[in-house]
Amino acid sequence: MTAERPSRRKVIKVAGAGALAAASAGALGGTAAASGGAPGGRAPGGRDLVTREIPGTGERVPAVGLGTFMTFDKLPHAPRGHIKEVMSRFWEGGGRVVDTSALYGTSEANVGEFARELGITDRLFLTDKSWACGEFFNDDSHAVRQFEQSLRRLRRSRLDAVQVHSLTNAPMILPILRRLKREGRIRYLGVTHHEIPEQAPAVERWIRTGDLDVVQVRYSIFMREAERRILPAAADHGTAVMVNMPLEKARLHAVVGDRGVPGFAREFGCETWAQFFLKYVISHPGVTCVLPATTNPAHAEENVAAMRGPLPDRAARRRMVRYMESIPGFSGIDSAPWYPGKVFKDGLVEL
C-alpha cells in the first residue's frame, strides 16, 4: 500500500462488471419504508436512537448509516461472510440507511445479495449514485442503463435516493434523475463530493440553485469545512445532508492509537473512539445521516451505538476539537494514506 490516496475514477477495474450485474439480478422489491420512527426519535422495537427528519417530508431516518466504498467490494469467489455480518449487526443495532454506488466495484451486488438473504431488501433506505458520461443532448441511455443495472444488483424496483457522484456531469444527469423521480423510480435526488474543502463552493452552489433533496459531503472532527458553508446552506434550503468520511478512512483511529477516550466524553455516552468521532458529526443539527464504512462486524456495532445516549452540546463539541488538536499527528491526517495498515484485495477496487 502506498501513501497516495486512490482516485475513485482511476482504480475501477472494469473487467467482469457486466457479468456481475447479470449474476446479481433477481426479484425486484418496492420502496423501503423509513425506519426512523416517531418524531421523538424512538426507533423500531422501542429503542431510543437519534433519528433525523429529511427536511420538509416528515420522514425520519436513523442518524448513523453504512457506507460501502471499498469495504463491500469483494468478488463472489472471495471470503465475504464478514460483510454479511456487518450488515446484520448494523441492522440489529437500528441502522437502516445504506449508501453505495455503481463505482464501488461489487459493493452494489453484495448489498443486494446480503440484504435479500437477511430479509431486509425492501426495509432498507438505499441511497445510490449515478456516474455516467455520454451524448446527453440526444441520448440519455448511458445514465439510464447504469440506473437499471443498479436496480438489478440491489434487487429493488426503485431507490430511496440517487445522487450525482462527485458532481460528474451534474447539469446533464440531474434532469434524467428528475424524470426518474417523476416516474416514481427515485424518491430523492442530489449530488455528492468527498473532495472537501476543494469542492465545497461547487456543492454549495448546487444546494442554493439546484432544488436538491439531499447532498453528501465529507465532514468529520478533522475536516470541518462543511460547518462553514455547506451545512448552513442546506439548512437554509431544506436539503438533507449525508456525510461521508466521518472517520477519515480509519485515520482518526490511527492518530489516537491506544489512548482511551477522554473522561469528559462519557458525559455524552462515548465508550469508544468511533462513538466519539460519530457523535461529533451527528450532534450538528444540520446533519441528517452519517455513513461510516467498515469490514469489521464489531465496529459496525460500535458505529450504530453512537445513536444512543445524549449528544455533545456546543461547548462539548469545542472541547472535543481542542482535545483532538492536542494529539500529535491530528493536523496531518490529510497527508496520511487511507486505511493505514490495511490492504483491500479480491475486489474490483483495490488498495
Side-chain angles (χ1 to χ4, degrees):
M1 183 175 65
T2 68
E4 182 180 356
R5 288 176 292 174
S7 164
R8 295 187 184 195
R9 302 180 193 177
K10 293 180 181 178
V11 297
I12 300 297
K13 296 180 180 178
V14 297
L20 179 67
S24 300
L28 299 178
T31 299
S35 69
R42 186 167 293 274
R47 293 169 294 180
D48 287 317
L49 300 178
V50 177
T51 64
R52 291 284 162 76
E53 181 184 343
I54 298 172
T57 68
E59 181 174 8
R60 300 186 73 87
V61 294
V64 176
L66 180 66
T68 61
F69 175 57
M70 300 191 73
T71 53
F72 270 51
D73 179 24
K74 284 287 186 179
L75 291 165
H77 66 268
R80 298 180 298 153
H82 62 290
I83 301 176
K84 181 179 177 180
E85 186 64 16
V86 164
M87 283 192 69
S88 177
R89 296 201 199 182
F90 167 77
W91 175 267
E92 290 301 318
R96 296 297 182 266
V97 181
V98 176
D99 177 75
T100 190
S101 173
L103 261 70
Y104 295 175
T106 59
S107 295
E108 277 185 332
N110 285 326
V111 168
E113 177 181 344
F114 297 138
R116 177 184 58 80
E117 291 178 2
L118 292 168
I120 59 177
T121 298
D122 298 325
R123 301 168 69 188
L124 288 172
F125 188 103
L126 277 177
T127 71
D128 209 323
K129 304 180 187 73
S130 175
W131 189 92
C133 300
E135 301 167 352
F136 295 103
F137 288 114
N138 65 353
D139 181 6
D140 65 4
S141 64
H142 307 73
V144 173
R145 281 199 307 272
Q146 184 183 88
F147 175 73
E148 298 286 355
Q149 177 177 262
S150 294
L151 289 178
R152 290 193 298 272
R153 289 174 172 174
L154 293 167
R155 303 160 194 253
R156 292 281 290 269
S157 61
R158 65 174 175 173
L159 296 176
D160 295 292
V162 177
Q163 303 148 98
V164 180
H165 196 132
S166 297
L167 292 175
T168 303
N169 293 322
M172 303 296 182
I173 297 294
L174 279 171
I176 299 170
L177 298 185
R178 292 190 196 290
R179 186 184 76 227
L180 293 171
K181 182 180 178 182
R182 289 194 300 270
E183 294 171 357
R185 308 187 73 193
I186 294 172
R187 300 178 61 220
Y188 304 110
L189 57 84
V191 302
T192 79
H193 222 298
H194 68 287
E195 293 179 354
I196 302 295
E198 297 87 350
Q199 296 297 328
V203 173
E204 182 187 9
R205 282 196 300 274
W206 276 106
I207 291 172
R208 297 193 181 281
T209 65
D211 189 25
L212 306 178
D213 302 309
V214 61
V215 295
Q216 184 188 127
V217 295
R218 177 187 177 189
Y219 175 42
S220 71
I221 197 170
F222 168 76
M223 177 48 65
R224 303 185 298 278
E225 170 67 21
E227 294 176 0
R228 189 170 72 86
R229 57 194 311 165
I230 293 173
L231 290 168
D236 289 344
H237 290 266
T239 306
V241 178
M242 296 191 176
V243 171
N244 56 50
M245 295 180 66
L247 304 178
E248 292 294 336
K249 306 291 188 188
R251 294 177 295 182
L252 285 170
H253 281 87
V255 164
V256 297
D258 294 331
R259 294 175 177 82
V261 294
F264 72 85
R266 300 187 189 281
E267 298 172 7
F268 42 89
C270 290
E271 300 293 332
T272 68
W273 281 111
Q275 294 165 22
F276 184 92
F277 300 136
L278 293 174
K279 280 186 179 244
Y280 179 85
V281 175
I282 65 176
S283 63
H284 193 293
V287 169
T288 307
C289 184
V290 60
L291 301 165
T294 184
T295 60
N296 187 320
H299 293 170
E301 285 188 76
E302 289 182 18
N303 293 343
V304 292
M307 292 189 285
R308 301 189 185 98
L311 295 176
D313 59 18
R314 289 184 181 181
R317 284 166 55 85
R318 289 193 294 268
R319 189 176 183 186
M320 294 167 79
V321 171
R322 288 196 302 271
Y323 182 86
M324 291 303 301
E325 289 176 338
S326 73
I327 297 178
F330 179 70
S331 63
I333 278 179
D334 243 356
S335 63
W338 286 355
Y339 296 110
K342 187 175 181 65
V343 175
F344 290 88
K345 59 181 181 179
D346 298 324
L348 295 176
V349 183
E350 295 189 354
L351 173 61

